[in-house]
Amino acid sequence: MKKQTVIVTGASSGIGKGIAKYFLDRGDNVVINSTTKRKLEETYRELGGGPQLAMVAGDVSNRQTGEQLVAMAVEQFGSADVLVNNAGIWETKPFLEVDEAYLDRFLRTNLKGTFFTTQAVIPQMLRQHDGVVINIGTPSVNRGIAGVPSTAPMASKGAIHALTIQLASEFGGRNIRINTVAPGIIRTPMHSDVTDTMANMALVKRVGEVEDIAEMVYTVAKSNFINGAIINVDGGAGAGHNLN
């Protein structure tokens, strides 16, 4: 497969770190990002810090961070072929307790981060006549759970799903593919309370691993024909919920 230069936001731990490692292990160039410089430097060293790896610390809700990521990719590796908008936050809070400041946290990191980092990379992809943007969403957008009060993060992730489809429509004709990979319950630091007792939520009867998501992101990145797709990687949890 063609060697690509891949930008991964939110890559200092969990799914983002796993995605970066997956591409690196298969010979691609990777630019990693995190808001926290110290954690990013630790991840850089853990991933080997070799000539195929670069890093840019910064908050993706700031438009300049996206511009710096693209500049680093082009300067170090000559292109920006894939953007993985992984940076995101998730918490629960009852709807009636959500104030404007709390809601803004999720809209800023999850939605604005995805929106403006994508806006920074697409001009470069247009110059290349090729590119892939992969957003990280959630199957929960289409599966409300009364016992998990998460209206603020859900609103931001629902907007990302809608943004995916609209951007795919606007740029697909110019060979830029925009997709969302939507993880189910994955064993990560963000979900430190995840245990195998939650396996029954998936039809495959297990909790997802970071590599399950990284494998799908890699598959989408290497495809020339996947566009405008929302791909649930949840072990069939959504399908089982709908059937029941």
Side-chain angles (χ1 to χ4, degrees), residues 148-235:
V148 184
S150 51
T151 52
M154 204 70 72
S156 66
K157 289 292 187 178
I160 288 170
H161 286 214
L163 179 66
T164 296
I165 293 168
Q166 182 59 34
L167 288 177
S169 302
E170 293 185 18
F171 292 100
R174 302 176 76 174
N175 203 33
I176 299 173
R177 286 87 66 203
I178 321 286
N179 298 283
T180 283
V181 170
I185 297 172
I186 309 298
R187 201 190 312 275
T188 68
M190 183 181 286
H191 297 116
S192 57
D193 58 340
V194 167
T195 67
D196 288 318
T197 59
M198 303 178 74
N200 283 335
M201 293 183 69
L203 297 184
V204 298
K205 304 304 180 187
R206 71 171 176 88
V207 169
E209 305 294 343
V210 167
E211 189 169 81
D212 293 317
I213 307 306
E215 180 181 43
M216 180 56 71
V217 169
Y218 183 86
T219 299
V220 173
K222 298 300 179 181
S223 170
N224 291 317
F225 201 58
I226 301 174
N227 189 38
I230 310 294
I231 304 170
N232 290 347
V233 185
D234 63 353

Side-chain angles (χ1 to χ4, degrees), residues 23 74 79 85 92 111 196 212 230:
F23 279 97
V74 174
S79 65
N85 282 310
T92 59
L111 177 57
D196 288 318
D212 293 317
I230 310 294

Side-chain angles (χ1 to χ4, degrees), residues 139-148 150 154 241-242:
S140 298
V141 167
N142 297 310
R143 179 187 178 181
I145 302 175
V148 184
S150 51
M154 204 70 72
H241 173 83
N242 293 331

Side-chain angles (χ1 to χ4, degrees), residues 5-228:
T5 297
V6 184
I7 297 168
V8 185
T9 69
S12 64
S13 66
I15 290 173
K17 182 177 177 180
I19 290 170
K21 183 178 186 302
Y22 202 92
F23 279 97
L24 279 170
D25 287 349
R26 286 153 184 80
D28 290 302
N29 303 313
V30 179
V31 181
I32 56 173
N33 155 266
S34 176
T35 302
T36 309
K37 185 177 181 180
R38 178 186 56 80
K39 288 182 66 178
L40 187 64
E41 289 172 342
E42 289 174 3
T43 298
Y44 181 84
R45 289 192 293 270
E46 286 177 29
L47 294 175
Q52 292 176 239
L53 183 63
M55 65 176 185
V56 174
D59 184 347
V60 291
S61 67
N62 183 333
R63 298 177 66 152
Q64 291 181 336
T65 299
E67 293 167 358
Q68 290 166 359
L69 282 163
V70 176
M72 177 65 77
V74 174
E75 179 182 329
Q76 291 285 101
F77 307 117
S79 65
D81 304 301
V82 180
L83 167 64
V84 182
N85 282 310
N86 172 74
I89 56 175
W90 186 278
E91 293 174 10
T92 59
K93 177 176 277 194
F95 174 67
L96 296 179
E97 297 176 16
V98 173
D99 60 18
E100 185 173 359
Y102 183 84
L103 176 60
D104 280 346
R105 284 180 53 218
F106 297 93
L107 296 180
R108 184 170 59 249
T109 298
N110 297 354
L111 177 57
K112 287 180 67 176
T114 295
F115 192 104
F116 288 124
T117 309
T118 303
Q119 195 175 65
V121 80
I122 281 185
Q124 176 63 31
M125 292 179 173
L126 288 171
R127 285 190 287 272
Q128 297 168 184
H129 307 289
D130 186 34
V132 183
V133 176
I134 302 170
N135 301 320
I136 300 298
T138 173
S140 298
V141 167
N142 297 310
R143 179 187 178 181
I145 302 175
V148 184
S150 51
T151 52
M154 204 70 72
S156 66
K157 289 292 187 178
I160 288 170
H161 286 214
L163 179 66
T164 296
I165 293 168
Q166 182 59 34
L167 288 177
S169 302
E170 293 185 18
F171 292 100
R174 302 176 76 174
N175 203 33
I176 299 173
R177 286 87 66 203
I178 321 286
N179 298 283
T180 283
V181 170
I185 297 172
I186 309 298
R187 201 190 312 275
T188 68
M190 183 181 286
H191 297 116
S192 57
D193 58 340
V194 167
T195 67
D196 288 318
T197 59
M198 303 178 74
N200 283 335
M201 293 183 69
L203 297 184
V204 298
K205 304 304 180 187
R206 71 171 176 88
V207 169
E209 305 294 343
V210 167
E211 189 169 81
D212 293 317
I213 307 306
E215 180 181 43
M216 180 56 71
V217 169
Y218 183 86
T219 299
V220 173
K222 298 300 179 181
S223 170
N224 291 317
F225 201 58
I226 301 174
N227 189 38

